[in-house]
Amino acid sequence: MFRIVKKEALNPTVSKMVIEAPLIANKARAGQFIILRVDDRGERIPLTVADYDRQAGTVTIIYQIVGATTMRLDRLQEGDQLADFVGPLGKPTDVEGKKRVAVVGGGVGCAIALPVAKAMQQAGTVVDSVVGFRNRDLVILEEEFKAVSNEYRLMTDDGSAGQKGLVTDALRELLQQNEYDEVIAIGPLVMMKFVSLLTKEYGVKTVVSMNPIMIDGTGMCGGCRLTVGGETKFACVDGPEFDGHLVDFDQAMERGRTYHAYEQERCNLLKKEAE
Amino acid sequence: MANMSLEKQKMPELAPDIRNKNFEEVALGYTPEQAVEEAGRCLNCKNKPCVGGCPVQIDIPAFIQKIQQKDFEGAYQIISASSALPAVCGRVCPQENQCEGRCVRGIKGEPVAIGRLERFVADWHMKNATAVPEKPVSNGKRIAIIGSGPAGLTCAGDLARKGYEVTVFEALHVAGGVLVYGIPEFRLPKAIVAREIEGLKAMGVKVETNMVIGRVLSVDELFEQGFDGVFIGTGAGLPRFMGIPGENLKGVLSANEFLTRVNLMKAYLPDSETPIQRGRRVAVVGGGNVAMDAARCAKRLGAEEVYIIYRRSMEEIPARAEEIHHAIEEGIIFKTLTNPVEILGDEHQNVTGLSCVEMTLGEPDASGRRRPVVKEGSRHTLEMDTVIMAIGTSPNPLIRSTTPGLETNQYGCIVTEEETGLTSREMVYAGGDAVTGAATVILAMGAGKQAAKAIDEKLSK
């Protein structure tokens, strides 16, 4: 069992949990993920490692309450236990040898973008960050991003915080001003798709972090497969990071909707239960 | 005087039309009377050809004699001296190619039902035995077993019996490997696997789930932690796809994914949180046991029509005879000499059909089976909403890519010394599908057994 050491709501739909998992904390690196199960009848869901503390033996996850499992997860409190917590899975981010990068985070994807930005900054890379949210109430990790960024651009859909507009608006400006070795985009598939289209215009290498449906996370089920440059890849073992210019995002979006109807039904059940 | 009936005692089974709607075990097992009657068919031959057909060399005539004498516990003791998982093997071994395939009674009539008798004895023991296995005195030496499938569990059991302190590391949240995620409940109830594992724990074997070796700890770190030897029994878990257009459509699954959702995650139960697509028209591509398991699961999930699409003929089909027989009884439709060339989908990437070609059989190939050849102008489309690929698996690269100096071959299989299972690394042994590529439970057990013997010989020097 894996104890929840700390739980904190970052905004109305996004929460942070610090989990006691010393072996995983000892090995985790930016870009990797874990798989958890809330309880014995629970499904296995992948979540990217948001942070880790090797001394304290803890791993931090940040999740958005979007489906039945994250609803169930969010009902747990500090001191409660997760049934299963396994990792670190996937390949870590390649942080070596980059002079300047732009890190783009969208919504809860910022939770995954932050450790990447942090690892890059620690490796001596100049990091410019662009983060986007729907509105000011949803903004998370602002201070944390500022701490590791040379430049920090906050975008909201309605202009209630930072600038009004999309992350691609701010990124276009940065691409015009600066030379980047790489752009790292982490967020909704549609955001990563449009960031990749933009950076292609500028010929800047772009890395995206894919978060498809998976079960085991070790290459066994193949449920997480996606098409990259015409080839089938498994996000769990070949990724989760891929070349954004080669990923078939439209296919990934359709595959992500495979269990949409089921998920809705489960969520409604849970909501009724809670009432 | 032996029972000279030419046929085996019939196995009591659930009726096909009832069982293809639930996940209860199909074969119900012999009664003691049936077992004794069947045991009477054994001639107790001097040269015991059946034993030579058994990868773990169970003294088959001896345990059958005990059944004849109604000493069922005695029979169990004989089997368990050679096999760590009798209740499992009695159910899933391809007996027709092993012990029963060599039985003298099979020359004229049916062979002795060795598999059914083994199962009877193991089930009887589980139900009636009261003696708890004793924890052997520790010899102070520690062995790490990677993977809790049949190879790992057998190796663990044999070493624990000799006094080794054994820890089994499992990547998933339940121990049992393919016995748990792959083979369905109706063929191998999970409670039976759990009981076998409890038996190992009673002997002092530690089982650590949620441990992906190669990620959370490397093989080298296991040695640093004080393990004296490592056995790799990580199986062949990586699903293969055909490489045809449309394989990434929604509704195309590897058999591994489909079976894992059903068996490990129990997606067929109403209170399981794991979703599963319930196809109406399902095509399972492949002709092995995994294909049969997937097809029969799809039927039980409510599919109207389930097809096995296999490129050779019924003569070459590799699944166990019993599985094919059961699948046909349950209404699975076999389309043999048929090979998919493309999976068709709609604008939302849902599967709508499977485009196939017909095959004819040409000259025998390297495997000795006649090579399928495409029949000109035979392309046709079968309407489908789900396609399950059951065309084989290969070993997971996680261990080989994180263990320096571990030699593997061009297929990614770990290279070992045949007699011992020793790899290119000192005190690292391997066995089962990780070495051979996808094979059977019993061959993996045989390899686990050999490695346990070799590890013991090496460490007790």
Side-chain angles (χ1 to χ4, degrees):
Chain A
M1 299 291 266
F2 301 84
R3 195 168 63 93
I4 301 165
V5 180
K6 196 163 174 271
K7 182 188 172 190
E8 184 188 334
L10 298 183
N11 75 27
T13 63
V14 175
S15 293
K16 176 169 119 172
M17 270 185 187
V18 179
I19 311 292
E20 195 171 68
L23 287 173
I24 303 173
N26 191 40
K27 276 295 173 71
R29 285 160 69 189
Q32 290 187 299
F33 66 95
I34 57 90
I35 281 186
L36 65 78
R37 250 179 12 133
V38 174
D39 55 35
D40 265 349
R41 62 182 176 138
E43 63 175 334
R44 295 169 64 98
I45 60 158
L47 287 172
T48 306
V49 171
D51 201 1
Y52 49 80
D53 184 333
R54 301 208 204 284
Q55 258 81 50
T58 58
V59 173
T60 302
I61 51 170
I62 295 179
Y63 56 90
Q64 183 164 23
I65 305 154
V66 285
T69 298
T70 41
M71 281 170 78
R72 218 177 259 290
L73 176 64
D74 202 55
R75 288 182 182 175
L76 300 182
Q77 304 302 330
E78 285 177 10
D80 289 347
Q81 312 259 357
L82 295 176
D84 302 291
F85 198 76
V86 56
L89 301 167
K91 291 182 182 164
T93 308
D94 175 17
V95 296
E96 298 301 317
K98 291 167 184 98
K99 284 206 274 302
R100 188 169 189 162
V101 298
V103 174
V104 184
V108 71
C110 290
I112 311 163
L114 177 66
V116 173
K118 204 166 145 185
M120 291 276 185
Q121 192 249 2
Q122 279 165 0
T125 307
V126 175
V127 178
D128 295 330
S129 300
V130 180
V131 297
F133 300 91
R134 271 187 289 131
N135 61 54
R136 61 181 292 180
D137 296 336
L138 302 179
V139 176
I140 57 169
L141 304 170
E142 187 165 4
E143 291 313 312
E144 289 87 340
F145 263 106
K146 281 181 178 164
V148 297
S149 305
N150 168 60
E151 208 175 316
Y152 171 78
R153 298 282 191 98
L154 170 63
M155 307 296 288
T156 51
D157 293 356
D158 62 359
S160 56
Q163 267 178 286
K164 182 175 172 168
L166 301 170
V167 288
T168 41
D169 300 332
L171 181 62
R172 186 183 291 278
E173 280 177 33
L174 290 175
L175 287 166
Q176 282 163 356
Q177 289 162 15
N178 310 312
E179 279 275 315
Y180 290 106
D181 295 316
E182 199 172 287
V183 170
I184 300 110
I186 305 174
L189 287 167
V190 63
M191 182 206 92
M192 295 195 284
K193 175 183 170 177
F194 282 99
V195 166
S196 299
L197 286 172
L198 174 66
T199 55
K200 205 164 184 187
E201 283 176 37
Y202 289 85
V204 178
K205 186 189 167 196
T206 299
V207 173
V208 296
S209 179
M210 303 299 282
N211 187 15
I213 295 166
M214 57 176 79
I215 306 176
D216 60 293
T218 62
M220 200 187 87
C221 78
C224 66
R225 64 196 189 280
L226 67 162
T227 306
V228 182
E231 270 181 62
T232 293
K233 297 281 180 188
F234 288 6
C236 64
V237 286
D238 300 320
E241 293 182 353
F242 293 98
D243 183 340
H245 296 154
L246 298 179
V247 171
D248 183 342
F249 287 104
D250 295 335
Q251 183 187 68
M253 284 184 239
E254 283 296 352
R255 286 187 65 82
R257 282 194 276 271
T258 305
Y259 300 106
H260 189 69
Y262 176 91
E263 198 59 48
Q264 291 280 298
E265 196 187 305
R266 281 279 160 181
C267 289
N268 290 340
L269 268 175
L270 272 177
K271 278 178 198 154
K272 265 192 208 140
E273 229 179 77
E275 275 163 15
Chain B
M1 179 63 200
N3 169 356
M4 292 314 288
S5 163
L6 292 182
E7 287 173 11
K8 292 176 181 178
Q9 281 285 313
K10 290 262 176 302
M11 181 63 128
E13 288 172 351
L14 290 178
D17 246 6
I18 292 171
R19 71 182 192 235
N20 68 11
K21 293 169 192 71
N22 67 38
F23 279 81
E24 281 161 41
E25 188 169 23
V26 168
L28 302 171
Y30 280 162
T31 61
E33 294 71 31
Q34 286 172 311
V36 172
E37 188 71 21
E38 181 64 23
R41 295 185 62 232
C42 176
L43 302 176
N44 198 12
C45 321
K46 260 211 184 82
N47 59 349
K48 307 177 183 182
C50 50
V51 178
C54 174
V56 296
Q57 272 116 49
I58 294 171
D59 190 345
I60 293 163
F63 95 75
I64 293 180
Q65 289 304 302
K66 290 285 183 194
I67 299 176
Q68 282 186 25
Q69 296 155 12
K70 298 185 184 159
D71 176 6
F72 303 138
E73 182 57 26
Y76 179 82
Q77 292 307 329
I78 290 169
I79 297 174
S80 69
S82 305
S83 168
L85 308 166
V88 174
C89 292
R91 286 171 166 84
V92 304
C93 264
Q95 288 97 2
E96 68 265 28
N97 304 326
Q98 298 177 350
C99 52
E100 293 183 21
R102 302 203 190 175
C103 176
V104 171
R105 294 297 305 263
I107 298 167
K108 193 177 170 214
E110 289 187 328
V112 175
I114 299 168
R116 294 172 185 176
L117 290 175
E118 180 184 23
R119 171 189 160 158
F120 165 78
V121 167
D123 288 358
W124 189 92
H125 172 82
M126 273 196 186
K127 214 155 131 197
N128 299 291
T130 44
V132 183
E134 265 174 55
K135 194 177 159 181
V137 179
S138 167
N139 66 9
K141 296 197 172 88
R142 296 174 65 207
I143 307 294
I145 310 268
I146 309 172
S148 66
L153 292 180
T154 303
C155 191
D158 279 16
L159 288 170
R161 249 175 246 121
K162 292 196 170 92
Y164 289 87
E165 290 179 21
V166 179
T167 304
V168 179
F169 295 99
E170 167 56 45
L172 292 169
H173 56 268
V174 188
V178 73
L179 306 175
V180 170
Y181 75 75
I183 303 175
E185 180 77 17
F186 56 80
R187 196 146 83 79
L188 176 62
K190 299 312 143 212
I192 285 173
V193 182
R195 284 282 292 269
E196 301 273 28
I197 292 169
E198 285 311 312
L200 292 179
K201 285 184 181 167
M203 286 196 301
V205 173
K206 284 191 204 125
V207 179
E208 291 204 31
T209 54
N210 292 321
M211 292 290 285
V212 182
I213 301 302
R215 291 280 188 220
V216 71
L217 290 174
S218 66
V219 168
D220 288 301
E221 284 167 322
L222 291 173
F223 284 110
E224 283 166 29
Q225 290 197 352
F227 284 101
D228 300 290
V230 171
F231 174 78
I232 304 169
T234 46
L238 227 59
R240 284 201 200 117
F241 288 90
M242 292 184 77
I244 59 174
E247 270 186 316
N248 292 347
L249 291 166
K250 281 188 283 184
V252 183
L253 297 89
S254 71
N256 262 5
E257 176 180 0
F258 181 71
L259 291 172
T260 301
R261 285 181 185 277
V262 174
N263 302 323
L264 177 73
M265 306 310 296
K266 303 268 175 269
Y268 61 90
L269 297 177
D271 72 341
S272 169
E273 291 283 331
T274 300
I276 192 152
Q277 286 164 282
R278 292 178 186 252
R280 195 173 59 83
R281 293 175 61 86
V282 180
V284 179
V285 181
N289 290 326
V290 174
M292 300 305 135
D293 286 346
R296 296 170 71 195
C297 283
K299 189 80 187 175
R300 283 162 171 77
L301 286 168
E304 286 162 25
E305 287 188 355
V306 181
Y307 293 83
I308 289 280
I309 311 285
Y310 178 57
R311 64 193 184 130
R312 289 184 163 100
S313 75
M314 287 307 265
E315 293 217 350
E316 292 83 14
I317 201 160
R320 275 177 93 210
E322 187 180 318
E323 308 314 325
I324 295 165
H325 169 71
H326 280 157
I328 293 170
E329 277 188 345
E330 289 168 16
I332 309 297
I333 304 156
F334 283 67
K335 277 195 85 73
T336 53
L337 292 166
T338 304
N339 203 32
V341 286
E342 185 178 359
I343 304 164
L344 310 169
D346 64 14
E347 72 278 15
H348 288 296
Q349 308 224 9
N350 293 303
V351 172
T352 56
L354 188 63
S355 185
C356 298
V357 287
E358 289 173 31
M359 311 297 277
T360 52
L361 291 178
E363 294 300 306
D365 63 12
S367 72
R369 295 179 300 180
R370 292 174 64 193
R371 198 166 63 86
V373 186
V374 177
K375 206 194 266 180
E376 285 295 323
S378 65
R379 187 161 170 156
H380 59 286
T381 298
L382 304 167
E383 188 212 319
M384 295 290 162
D385 56 31
T386 304
V387 176
I388 298 169
M389 289 293 172
I391 54 167
T393 52
S394 37
N396 195 308
L398 216 47
I399 298 281
R400 71 168 184 260
S401 63
T402 56
T403 311
L406 186 71
E407 197 189 325
T408 53
N409 68 15
Q410 77 221 67
Y411 306 107
C413 299
I414 300 170
V415 176
T416 59
E417 206 176 80
E418 185 144 354
E419 290 297 301
T420 62
L422 180 66
T423 69
S424 54
R425 285 280 310 263
E426 204 185 327
M427 284 322 292
V428 179
Y429 294 74
D433 286 4
V435 170
T436 57
T440 59
V441 167
I442 188 71
L443 283 171
M445 289 179 56
K449 205 169 182 57
Q450 266 185 343
K453 187 163 165 264
I455 290 169
D456 178 51
E457 277 168 11
K458 183 88 184 211
L459 288 178
S460 48
K461 255 184 207 163

